[in-house]
């Protein structure tokens, strides 16, 4: 069953396909009176926009967003905000091969088993172009939380990790990889170039940190802050794993090393001596930075032929021509940020609903 | 905001605390006419039941389930199924220390920041006793899918991994660790004994495999099968990471090694040459086994003192007396199975809703 | 599909059948820190309790409520509140006739077409005993809104209307009919006695007024305050019509007579010169009293034989023996109040979520 | 809180305002493989379109719908269907009066109390132009139920009822009032003309009948078919009352007259001797026609001055210039049909989810 709405009170619904005339998001539940214009949204879309370096797809999409409703005299009215982005560069090409055989790693086979047929042009609805709508919606979410700073960056590309000792926040926007380690960024240029030339692709790990989240957002057990984040991140194309705080590494700690000890702080707030928990305990924010890591598989669209079958069940080989990101993980960083913002904005309003705070 | 209902059409709501009179689940949306009695539910509860070995908490709870509604003449009526489990062994003890100071690793501080106060007896609502309700609900979900076989087992405990070459499905129920590697199970006895004696605790990684899931369950992008599983698993106490298929390892593969190549099968169905995807592509099941792995942090309740602050913000030390699992990951295996069953049952009905299949 | 949860952020789920061991409600989303005990709930249940006069069913149910979770040291914790009421007086009787043939006016035939079989004992899930759970949940909702006063009363019984000129609020609890007109109450005694003696039954119209609702609760178009009220009221057994404010009569007014003119008030708030709108404009409360009227059909369980068919499609006659209300509309008044409270409490929290007010 | 999504598995979300660039609906949960083009939608929009007779507003809107997603090669893909209608004739005018004072009968005051300000151009989001989006979505819903025939018509206008003895289905589309009684249609011409000339407006009662609904759609108690219909109808602008079957009249019947007696039919299905229930018993369809009646208040926008206050609380008078329907109830008939279709399509899929039928 198709459920393209995400969130509980601050919600967004997305629509659109890779090769349709447009795609969009409807943001519902936004508080009234918030200053909002296309200029608040466009910069975030530009960060995710394709074709900005040789390390991403060469599809040229300006990704200009239009606000079609929900804003009056520069402020949100409290009613649905419709955001639309036109598709410009849907290159006409021959899709007969993709239409007839299933691309391993793609959703082709699963889609066809579910729906009986599929929109094979550029992946249809399963295309990562849909994430532009998330980024647009996420930029509205950010406007609700001026005290929260959200940052996503790659900590690993093609198996090559950053050196945490070289972490430099200011580097993230200085290279085409959202990489906080300048040395790693240089190595990754070679990695991605090589993969692209080989007709191969690479995976990545993105870390996202939200600072300024007050203690108390979230809920116990179900609709936990971490559970909502996990659902949000796993809903992004190509994501295969999600960690909160130390994540899988926490399973190797002992109870006493994993405990984030607390000390009295100068401002009446506690000082935590560590953040193994990633800012979430029992499903509720602790006031520490919220830390999420997501693993993205390598782009499934590759120029290397792979064994498959066609729609008649006959053995075939297939490679995916066209313009593709050699590493979808790169452009996913702004998308991960957007999903973090969308979950947090929803949680902020839910917390206010229950507690009045 | 408190949302203790999980699922979209096959749903369950849980209620109850560690030290209240009872806990329970209300299962709603169950198809009518399914044979169901307490005998279908009790065996699954018994697998999760505390006090069955020296490696789990010594709290003695019979965990007897009662069906209070929704079943008539041995069959489900299609109306809500109320399941109740009484708490028997809530030992009266002195909670004044826990009431006054925050236990690091626990939700104490976050709860109090959210709600202004908290039920400190045994963790209140955040106690893992709540998972009994999930297991009860999950046993109803299993009845909807007689063709699906779900199995969860520990692949790592305290950082010590099983040897995949020694994997033996029949071993899982032969040791107190749901461990499929008989040699690892022996090593883990020592590990857990040592941790318990030191007043420490250990984490674990659980793998859960669902076989027999047909292709087509799930949805693209939002409410993806993997997104729903991620939310479900991350909602379990102490879980800090979730992987589908190769998970974080997939980020280190190339596009061609990650692709699950397909060949024609004898029965008209394709044969997949690998299952890196963990049975889910584009959010939809492929017909391969659905594979999930979850990381559980070490039990936060430990006898080792940890630095903290009290409710007045004054520096303190705290240790958690009482009866606790030295590794919550062990008894979480039946809970992971239950959540897998609950997600799949919901997806089965959703798929039927949209496609009639 | 069975959906026994009502509300969006302040929600309740009910379970239980007429002849099961118990019935109950789980209230989720309640703010923390609200004083709550069984003594807050029992008085409302007592108003709806059967067997208190000769004008209601003679089934003897004490309807004692127990709080099983969600309250600690006399205050709500913010987690699910489980409320349970045991069934005591499920009289064993011969249901073979009801089991074999469909009672017109009842859900027997529709249930069986949907589910393939049905719990025929006292109507099973469709019994009005379920409304006890609503009343229990509603009494929690009332605790969230100390400024709101909710009152339901019968304005018509068996086609006999009250005289609005004789409306006396203090009379409502002075007769067994929740009737604000003392003269009508006397007439209704005869009406109901006669109907009971004839083996017949009567319908009723209930009016419910909520005073003290501030302007601003609700939403435009969907999830409108009036739309939520309509769904809530129509979900009560035997309800066949719902009106807001002037309701159907408004269709006979002109635009200028229907307009609730406004004048400046002494306290800065406007004075409305009329309340045709029933306190709701564009789906949002205006600050005037919220006025709802609901029509209840006559009790379907009657001692008069009615033509029907049996499960084999053969012509039959059926009458419903047993203990029944000659007018279900009477005891529905506390249920209508409860549903009003539940909708308003949800809207209060939703309004707070979006606007912070 | 803004919730502009309606439905449970077959859902639609609408967006847009009276004077924005466009409005639209996103239909989610539609089964795949259904033939769908603009030509399936446009005829229904044309029925609701303004400016087609002197009895409706003179605003000229072509209401051309575009399908922006979810359809591939003429068939639905199972993913979100985005429908957009551009606003063409938003006449520029002076709104300063409406901006400064509250129009009684309108949502102006309630909106401003909720949101702090409002889009005053043509009612903004609360404009009945939004119903075009519902009609577009409803036309998709119809495609799911080829066996169901839905018809809405006016049974009363300005207090003048049709003569049921003159009911003629073929007349409904032969006059500008969706009136099944040719004589009444003639009278209504005069009524509406007079009201328009006086600067007044009239209310109406619409009846909607769905034939061909099989027994079994719906659910007991909550999410009842009638409860969902009540919410759907009450969400339409200007609706103040909803009845199912005999509705308020049922409250005046006795149990035996209200019972819809059943007799064996020739085709194995029962024959009902009456339909007081309006095709719904216990929340579930009986197989009889589903009958709903809705009351619409007179248009609030009138040229007659009404007493009010301005935003500063000062006494004022206001009249609403501009182009308005003298009776919004007329053009609401296609909207009521659309909401009936949307509820039924959702219920069809929900029934299939739970029972496989």
């Amino acid at each position: 069953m198709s459920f393209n709405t995400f969130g509980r009170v601050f919600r967004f619904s997305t629509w659109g396909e890779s090769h349709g005339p447009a795609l969009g998001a409807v943001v519902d539940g936004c508080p009234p009176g918030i200053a909002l214009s296309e200029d608040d949204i466009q910069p975030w879309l530009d960060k995710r926009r394709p074709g900005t370096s040789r390390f991403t797809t060469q599809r040229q999409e300006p990704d200009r967003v239009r606000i079609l409703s929900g804003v009056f005299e520069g402020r949100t009215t409290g009613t649905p905000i419709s955001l639309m982005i036109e598709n410009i560069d849907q290159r006409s090409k021959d899709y007969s091969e993709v239409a007839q055989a299933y691309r391993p790693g793609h959703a082709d086979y699963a889609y066809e088993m579910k729906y009986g047929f599929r929109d094979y042009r550029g992946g249809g609805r399963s295309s990562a172009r849909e994430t532009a709508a998330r980024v647009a919606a996420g930029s509205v979410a950010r406007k609700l939380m001026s005290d929260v700073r959200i940052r996503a960056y790659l900590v690993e590309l093609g198996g090559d990790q950053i050196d945490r000792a070289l972490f430099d926040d200011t580097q993230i926007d200085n290279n085409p990889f959202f990489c906080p380690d300048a040395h790693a960024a240089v190595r990754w240029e070679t990695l991605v170039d090589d993969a692209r030339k080989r007709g191969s692709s690479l995976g990545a790990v993105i870390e996202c940190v939200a600072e300024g989240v007050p203690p108390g957002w979230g809920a116990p057990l179900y609709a936990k802050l971490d559970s909502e984040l996990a659902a949000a991140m796993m809903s992004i194309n190509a994501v295969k794993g999600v960690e909160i705080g130390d994540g899988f590494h926490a399973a190797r700690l002992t109870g006493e090393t994993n405990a984030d000890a607390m000390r009295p702080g100068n401002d009446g707030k506690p000082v935590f001596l560590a953040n193994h928990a990633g800012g979430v305990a029992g499903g509720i924010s602790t006031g520490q930075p919220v830390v999420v890591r997501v693993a993205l598989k390598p782009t499934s669209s590759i120029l290397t032929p792979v064994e498959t079958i066609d729609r008649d069940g006959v053995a075939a080989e297939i490679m995916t021509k066209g313009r593709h990101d050699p590493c979808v993980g790169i452009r996913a960083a702004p998308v991960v940020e957007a999903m973090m913002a969308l979950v947090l904005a929803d949680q902020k309003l839910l917390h206010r609903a229950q507690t009045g705070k």
Side-chain angles (χ1 to χ4, degrees), chain A:
Chain A
M1 177 50 68
S2 182
F3 281 101
N4 290 274
T5 300
F6 194 88
R8 294 174 188 271
V9 291
F10 182 88
R11 279 147 290 128
F12 70 100
S13 307
T14 78
W15 55 270
E17 292 98 36
S18 174
H19 283 56
L23 54 89
V26 181
V27 177
D28 202 5
C30 185
I34 295 177
L36 184 71
S37 74
E38 277 93 349
D39 291 343
D40 292 303
I41 303 172
Q42 198 60 51
W44 304 105
L45 280 169
D46 291 346
K47 292 185 78 166
R48 184 210 149 275
R49 194 155 61 82
T52 54
S53 83
R54 73 174 187 273
F55 305 106
T56 63
T57 174
Q58 294 310 299
R59 178 166 169 173
Q60 295 295 329
E61 288 288 353
D63 280 353
R64 300 301 303 179
V65 68
R66 282 185 68 201
I67 299 176
L68 295 179
S69 69
V71 175
F72 179 60
E73 296 182 343
R75 288 186 294 159
T76 59
T77 59
T79 64
I81 303 166
S82 178
L83 305 170
M84 187 167 76
I85 297 162
E86 285 185 68
N87 285 326
I88 303 294
D89 188 20
Q90 318 99 300
R91 191 168 297 179
S92 79
K93 52 160 271 188
D94 178 11
Y95 282 105
S96 56
E97 197 183 6
V98 173
Q100 288 310 317
Y102 307 117
R103 292 167 300 167
H106 274 286
D108 296 354
Y109 174 73
Y111 257 60
E112 197 144 324
M113 290 301 103
K114 184 175 193 73
Y115 298 123
F117 80 124
R118 66 190 149 94
D119 177 356
Y120 43 75
R121 302 163 306 163
R125 178 69 180 155
S126 66
S127 165
R129 260 203 76 61
E130 185 268 350
T131 59
R134 301 175 187 235
V135 171
S139 64
V140 180
R142 287 174 192 266
K143 300 280 290 185
L144 275 67
M145 305 176 293
S146 52
D147 294 343
V148 176
R149 182 173 175 271
I150 298 169
R151 208 72 179 92
Y153 41 84
L154 273 70
V155 293
E156 186 179 319
L157 188 154
D160 182 23
Q161 296 185 19
I162 64 162
D163 181 347
R164 293 273 172 177
L166 300 178
F167 191 103
D168 178 357
D169 191 77
T170 64
Q171 287 298 318
I172 297 173
D173 289 329
N174 274 352
N175 60 70
F177 305 109
F178 301 104
C179 177
D181 166 357
H183 288 73
V186 173
R187 299 194 304 270
W188 294 358
E189 289 203 14
T190 312
L191 273 176
V192 177
D193 271 339
D194 287 355
R196 197 185 61 234
K197 286 170 192 163
R198 284 199 319 273
S200 182
S201 64
L202 300 174
V205 176
I206 297 171
E207 187 168 272
C208 184
V209 178
E211 293 174 299
V213 176
W217 291 5
L221 298 175
Y222 304 91
K224 290 163 73 172
L225 178 52
D226 33 3
S227 176
E228 305 278 271
L229 285 169
M233 298 305 166
M234 200 68 94
S235 77
I236 301 172
N237 313 54
V239 170
K240 300 299 285 185
V242 181
E243 295 182 317
I244 307 292
D246 281 9
F248 277 83
H249 183 64
R252 283 135 213 167
L253 300 178
T254 60
E256 57 275 23
T257 48
N258 182 61
D260 296 326
M262 298 166 79
R263 296 283 81 186
N266 291 328
D267 57 355
K269 294 180 189 166
V271 170
F272 289 89
L273 303 185
N275 189 16
H276 298 288
V280 188
I284 300 171
S285 62
T286 62
Q288 289 204 280
V290 175
V291 182
V292 180
R293 256 181 319 283
V294 302
L296 291 106
K297 66 179 183 183
T299 313
S300 297
S301 297
I302 48 175
L303 285 164
T304 305
V306 187
E307 288 184 307
T308 191
I309 59 171
D310 66 17
R311 298 187 70 199
D312 299 320
V314 177
E317 255 198 359
I318 196 163
M319 50 180 269
T320 312
K321 291 167 219 143
R323 301 156 297 172
H324 301 288
D325 286 280
C327 173
V328 284
I330 300 170
R331 285 172 55 221
V335 182
V336 166
E337 284 190 1
M339 293 307 290
M340 172 70 92
L342 288 157
V343 168
L344 290 176
D346 193 25
Q347 292 296 330
K348 176 182 175 162
L349 299 195
L350 287 167
H351 181 59
R352 187 157 78 179
Q354 188 171 21
T355 68
K357 287 187 279 194

